[in-house]
């Protein structure tokens, strides 16, 4: 019997109790009662706003669209979909509101702890996707894909943030956002501690026990968010004892929750987040943590869960991870639960990458964020800038010292007050020859201001967001792309939003922008997670592709007059329904840009199914081959990319210099239970992609965000910068710099400088034709194609293009096409294994003298 129970969750704890119960009920895998109904919900902050939303719905507005745009509930990302609900399990006010409401009808406005709610009862078996979707996957049908158990407290922390008193204009004030985040968590914890406890009587009803258990669960989530796992575990154990007294349906949930909590504590206790080394590279074979006490407890809880549900793949996966930390994988894992090492075997081996971030001075211990590698001081050295979604953490600017090490110059560069930011992208927006920086904020959470940071060409930056015109609106975003939509030589900016229409800002050539979204026909509202640019039909004008987390993806074809036509369905690239990172690249080097977009299901079960070769319930990653006629063909299965993983961070580069672009995917979600290895996928001559994660040593198990491929040490191969860290402070992690082991293949690095085109040459095309030695030592001719840009949609490569050439390569020609000026250049007699600069309209190139150096400095390893 629990004798110290907080009986009620304070209003400003802002945890939707019905949502938590549904989450627990779903995770427990209990069968839904026959009287269950499909329900959607919108939650807003005031009664007035709720009434406006209700009026819009009664006027015919789309429920899912309004939920994604306005709801503060975590279900907003799913169009407000709660799932199949037994009304008897809900709070009394929601249960009462649903009384008499039938399929297709709305409830009245209901006051709940999180604010003001409106619910809709769905007609029997109704899906939520549109009739023109190319796939049967929908929000409603996605119940077949089991989300990972939610441990970590992000939802609770964000709800408290929104409920906490704030100044007017808070989401345009970086310091105010930091103040609210800093004060809101201690405030609620203090009130929880001061809340008088009341014993739970022996004859307490199920509803009373449920509410008491949920209060303890929510309390634990707040502690987990802050990284105090001991206090979190104590509260979860209390919740479990309450469940043991009369709520047996959720006991298995509590076992799984405690297993995840103890496994996370074990990793924290053993330093695998701050000094990871090999500790969190996957798979771990016969390599134990120093302190295994928490790992042993995690195993006990996972085994207790599996005694009741032996076929649960998510908990089996986590059990195997726990045994790895004990040094008892695979031999110590009970045979019926073992996920065999053969599931993780690499299909090729190009050598092992080594993490040298700490030795190189890239010492970042951060939450989720972006990463950019490029020349920010015009010294022909590649610098590194990272961001964090922690609204109190500044950007980190690392200046390349030219000896294999970096020093942090954040404050000296004027970036110490640039707080937060889930992603970053670079461009020379004002054509002054110095790369500027755009900081994107608010993704997954709530609208926040962007920052446009002008490079002053002297090692410092100035925030010009307001004077540039980009401060007029705030939005929830983590994705944008620079491109010249009208070929006027000035870069424009496309911003993909999660909380409102997408935005296209036209660069006016004077350092300012005008919003032309509506006139251009691109102002659709969606939950946009990736936006990328490319002239996919080679007509000389750049097009845009948008990935949507909760709907059809969009392909905007440029009409050559600053307007666009949406053609995704005609082109065959609407899927997957739940998408995240995306990019264009010519994976098979046929001269036509292809398209990659990953599905994103927050499901360890689907990941486990992929590794075990079992049928998946979710859509796979998608690779679309350009058919050179305005359409694409899905080749995912034939090239080996028919996988359901959990990629957030994603980018591409050529890790073995064979001329074919490979990819590195960083996995994760806000839950501490989402532990899935990054995947390094090797492109085999445009015919297939194979995993080399295990053999390359790049299988980072923790949350992946900004990823960049770059030859940081100027030795002729691309290293990988990976910003690691989750969405909560408990999930902070050290940055990774994986040094490329090198190989025998040749390369060329090409830096383009625009004259009539934009100075950074974004959108310019490069074709390198080579004769090289292939299979059986035969000499063959190849052409390799690149478009100047920063790569994928989460992490930014240098704009300088590193191009692998194969073995014993002889360059026949380097051809450049500048779409903005529609001019072409061709150069022959270029030697491989060098760096060159080519200016638009020039008749000769310039060789860039560069000496390689050792990452970490000359004394590394001594």
């Amino acid at each position: 019997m629990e004798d110290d129970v907080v009986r009620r969750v304070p209003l400003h704890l802002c945890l939707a109790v019905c949502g938590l119960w549904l989450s627990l009920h779903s995770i427990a895998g209990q069968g839904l009662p026959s009287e269950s109904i499909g329900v959607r919900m919108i939650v807003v902050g005031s009664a007035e706003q709720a009434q406006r939303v209700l009026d819009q719905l009664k006027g015919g507005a789309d429920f899912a669209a309004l939920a994604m745009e306005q709801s503060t509930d975590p279900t907003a990302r799913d169009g407000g979909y709660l799932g199949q609900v037994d009304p008897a399990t809900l709070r009394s006010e929601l249960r009462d509101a649903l009384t008499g409401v039938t399929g297709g009808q709305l409830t009245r406005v209901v006051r709940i702890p999180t604010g003001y709610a409106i619910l809709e009862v769905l007609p029997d078996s109704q899906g939520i996707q549109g009739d023109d979707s190319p796939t049967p996957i929908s929000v409603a049908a996605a119940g077949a894909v089991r989300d990972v158990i939610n441990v970590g407290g992000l939802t609770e922390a964000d709800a408290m943030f929104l409920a906490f008193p704030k100044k007017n204009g808070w989401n345009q004030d970086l310091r105010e956002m930091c103040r609210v985040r800093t004060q809101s968590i201690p405030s609620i914890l203090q009130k929880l501690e001061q809340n008088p406890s009341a014993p739970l009587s022996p004859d307490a009803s199920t509803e009373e026990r449920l509410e008491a258990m949920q209060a303890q669960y929510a309390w634990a989530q707040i502690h987990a968010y802050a990284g105090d796992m001991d206090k979190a575990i104590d509260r979860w154990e209390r919740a479990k004892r309450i469940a043991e007294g009369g709520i047996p349906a959720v006991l298995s949930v509590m076992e799984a929750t405690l297993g995840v909590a103890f496994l996370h504590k074990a990793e924290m206790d053993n330093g695998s987040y701050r000094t990871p080394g090999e500790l969190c590279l996957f798979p771990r074979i016969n390599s134990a943590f120093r302190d295994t006490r928490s790992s042993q407890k995690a195993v006990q809880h996972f085994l207790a869960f599996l005694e009741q549900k032996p076929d649960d793949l998510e908990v089996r996966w986590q059990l195997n991870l726990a045994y790895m930390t004990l040094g008892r994988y695979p031999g110590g894992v009970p045979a019926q639960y073992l996920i065999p090492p053969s599931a993780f075997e690499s299909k090729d081996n190009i050598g092992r990458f080594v993490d040298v971030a700490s030795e190189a001075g890239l010492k970042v211990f951060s939450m989720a964020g972006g990463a950019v590698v490029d020349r920010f001081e015009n010294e022909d050295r590649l610098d590194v800038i990272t961001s964090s979604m922690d609204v109190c953490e500044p950007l980190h600017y690392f200046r390349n010292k030219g000896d294999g090490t970096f020093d942090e110059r954040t404050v000296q560069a004027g970036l110490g007050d640039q707080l937060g930011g889930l992603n970053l992208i670079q461009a020379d927006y004002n054509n002054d020859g110095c790369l500027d920086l755009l900081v994107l904020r608010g993704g997954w959470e709530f609208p926040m201001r962007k920052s446009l940071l002008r490079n002053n060409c002297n090692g410092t930056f100035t925030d010009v967001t307001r004077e540039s015109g980009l401060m007029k609106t705030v939005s929830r975003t983590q994705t944008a792309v620079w491109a010249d939509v009208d070929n006027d030589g000035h870069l424009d900016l496309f911003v993909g939003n999660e909380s409102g229409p997408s935005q296209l800002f036209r660069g006016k050539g004077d350092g300012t922008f005008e919003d032309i979204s509506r006139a251009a026909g691109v102002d659709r509202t969606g939950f946009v997670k990736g936006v990328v640019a490319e002239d996919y039909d080679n007509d000389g004008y750049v097009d845009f592709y948008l990935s949507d987390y909760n709907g059809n993806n969009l392909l905007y074809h440029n009409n050559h007059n600053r307007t666009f036509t949406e053609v995704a369905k005609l082109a065959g690239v609407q899927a997957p329904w739940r998408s995240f990172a995306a990019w264009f690249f010519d994976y098979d080097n046929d001269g036509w840009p292809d398209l990659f977009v990953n599905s994103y299901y927050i499901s360890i079960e689907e990941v486990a199914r992929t590794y075990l070769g079992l049928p998946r319930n979710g859509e796979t990653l998608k690779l679309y081959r350009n058919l050179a006629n305005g359409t694409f063909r899905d080749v995912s299965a034939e090239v080996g990319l028919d996988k359901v993983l959990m990629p957030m961070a994603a980018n591409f580069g050529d890790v073995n210099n064979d001329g074919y672009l490979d990819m590195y995917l960083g996995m994760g979600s806000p839950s501490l239970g989402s532990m899935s290895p990054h995947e390094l996928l090797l492109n085999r001559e445009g015919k297939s992609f194979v995993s080399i994660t295990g053999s390359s040593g790049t299988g980072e198990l923790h949350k992946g965000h900004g990823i960049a491929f770059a030859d940081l040490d100027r030795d002729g191969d691309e290293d990988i910068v990976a910003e690691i860290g989750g969405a909560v402070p408990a999930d902070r992690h050290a940055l990774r710099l994986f040094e490329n082991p090198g190989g025998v293949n040749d390369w060329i690095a090409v830096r383009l400088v625009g004259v009539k085109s934009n100075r950074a040459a974004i959108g310019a095309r490069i074709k390198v034709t080579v004769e090289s030695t292939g299979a059986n030592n035969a000499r063959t001719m190849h052409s390799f194609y690149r478009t100047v840009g920063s790569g994928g949609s989460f992490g930014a490569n240098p704009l300088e293009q590193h191009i692998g050439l194969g073995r014993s390569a002889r360059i026949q020609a380097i051809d450049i096409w500048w779409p903005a000026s529609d001019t072409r250049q061709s150069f022959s007699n270029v030697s491989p294994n060098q760096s060159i600069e080519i200016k638009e309209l020039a008749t000769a190139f310039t060789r860039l003298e560069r000496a390689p150096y050792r990452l970490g400095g000359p004394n590394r390893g001594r």
Side-chain angles (χ1 to χ4, degrees), residues 378-391:
N378 288 339
E379 293 182 339
D380 205 26
R381 301 170 187 167
L382 295 175
D383 308 305
V384 177
I385 304 180
T386 68
S387 67
S388 170
M389 70 181 291
D390 179 351
V391 294

Side-chain angles (χ1 to χ4, degrees), residues 492-613:
D492 312 300
L493 177 66
F494 198 118
V495 179
N497 291 317
E498 301 174 3
S499 57
S502 294
Q503 295 167 292
L504 177 58
F505 296 96
R506 176 178 172 264
K508 297 163 66 176
D510 59 0
T512 67
F513 296 85
E514 61 175 333
D515 188 340
I516 62 169
S517 312
R518 177 165 295 183
V522 298
D523 60 336
R524 292 198 189 187
T525 296
F527 201 98
V528 180
K529 298 305 296 179
V531 54
V532 288
E534 178 63 273
D535 176 10
Y536 75 88
D537 57 353
N538 289 345
D539 68 351
Y541 284 80
V542 68
D543 313 295
F544 295 104
Y545 184 77
L546 280 64
S547 68
D548 194 320
Y549 179 70
N550 199 35
N552 291 320
N553 299 329
L554 305 174
L555 178 61
Y556 286 114
H557 179 262
N558 194 324
N559 298 324
H560 307 182
N561 59 1
R562 297 180 189 158
T563 70
F564 294 80
T565 300
E566 203 288 301
V567 297
K569 184 178 182 181
L570 293 174
V573 293
Q574 284 185 297
W577 179 261
R578 285 189 172 174
S579 300
F580 203 141
W583 61 67
F584 286 98
F585 70 154
D586 191 351
Y587 84 93
D588 55 359
N589 284 313
D590 66 353
W592 291 87
D594 310 299
L595 176 63
F596 172 81
V597 55
N598 69 257
S599 59
Y600 183 66
Y601 294 95
I602 304 174
S603 174
I604 289 295
E605 180 183 42
E606 292 301 297
V607 171
R609 286 179 170 275
T610 293
Y611 279 104
L612 290 169

Side-chain angles (χ1 to χ4, degrees), residues 42-56 66 69-72 109 116 118:
I42 293 173
V43 180
V44 294
S46 70
E48 295 77 12
Q49 184 183 3
Q51 187 59 52
R52 288 196 299 270
V53 170
L54 183 59
D55 292 342
Q56 288 178 277
L66 280 180
E69 181 179 347
Q70 298 193 39
S71 181
T72 60
V109 175
Y116 297 84
I118 301 162

Side-chain angles (χ1 to χ4, degrees), residues 719-795:
D719 313 296
I720 301 175
V721 174
E723 204 276 351
I724 312 295
V728 300
D731 225 0
R732 289 184 179 274
H733 199 285
L735 179 138
R736 294 282 205 175
L737 169 54
F738 290 112
E739 183 180 20
N740 195 312
V744 300
N745 289 335
D746 298 315
W747 55 277
I748 187 80
V750 182
R751 180 196 302 162
L752 298 184
V753 179
V755 177
K756 290 186 175 181
S757 302
N758 70 88
R759 185 75 175 269
I762 290 174
R765 296 282 192 88
I766 303 171
K767 174 185 176 182
V768 181
T769 302
V770 303
E771 181 186 42
S772 61
T773 301
N776 302 318
N777 292 320
R779 299 291 289 178
T780 56
M781 296 289 291
H782 295 280
S783 292
F784 303 118
Y785 298 85
R786 301 290 186 271
T787 300
V788 176
S790 57
S793 59
F794 209 152

